[in-house]
């Protein structure tokens, strides 16, 4: 399992629009081979995080480099006040 976690900062008042975009983009991205899940989280302190799970790093990269991702990705960034801070992980044990 491969996991990408991104901390995001949204522009003031953009949360509802981002949630709508996230839901619509999940409909596209969830069809990719190896896709497991993609979640948008809000912490009690008001910070936001995206978690994407894929079967492998290779399936994640294929999705990330796809024309579909290239098309929807900039729209998500338009709601952010700065670029996301990403970290990637490989599940060591289950």
């Amino acid at each position: 399992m491969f996991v990408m976690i991104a901390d995001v900062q949204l522009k003031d008042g953009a949360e509802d629009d981002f949630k709508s975009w996230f839901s619509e983009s999940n409909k596209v991205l969830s069809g990719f081979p190896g896709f497991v899940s993609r979640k948008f989280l809000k912490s009690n302190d008001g910070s936001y995080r995206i978690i994407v799970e894929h079967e492998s790093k290779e399936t994640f990269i294929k999705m990330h480099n796809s024309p579909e991702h290239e098309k929807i990705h900039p729209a998500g960034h338009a709601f952010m006040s700065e670029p996301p801070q990403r970290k990637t992980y490989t599940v060591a044990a289950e």
Side-chain angles (χ1 to χ4, degrees), residues 19-88:
K19 285 180 184 177
S20 295
W21 169 84
F22 196 82
S23 177
E24 289 301 311
S25 62
N26 268 351
K27 292 176 185 175
V28 174
L29 299 177
S30 65
F32 277 85
F35 178 91
V36 175
S37 72
R38 186 168 172 260
K39 298 176 180 94
F40 176 57
L41 308 173
K42 182 177 181 180
S43 174
N44 291 337
D45 67 7
S47 62
Y48 302 99
R49 180 169 280 169
I50 296 170
I51 300 176
V52 181
E53 296 176 302
H54 260 259
E55 289 179 5
S56 69
K57 182 177 181 178
E58 292 75 24
T59 62
F60 174 82
I61 290 171
K62 284 181 183 179
M63 181 273 304
H64 192 75
N65 291 334
S66 71
E68 294 89 344
H69 188 270
E70 290 289 322
K71 182 178 178 183
I72 62 174
H73 192 72
H77 279 239
F79 299 111
M80 298 178 193
S81 58
E82 63 181 59
Q85 302 300 308
R86 295 181 181 99
K87 293 183 180 180
T88 60

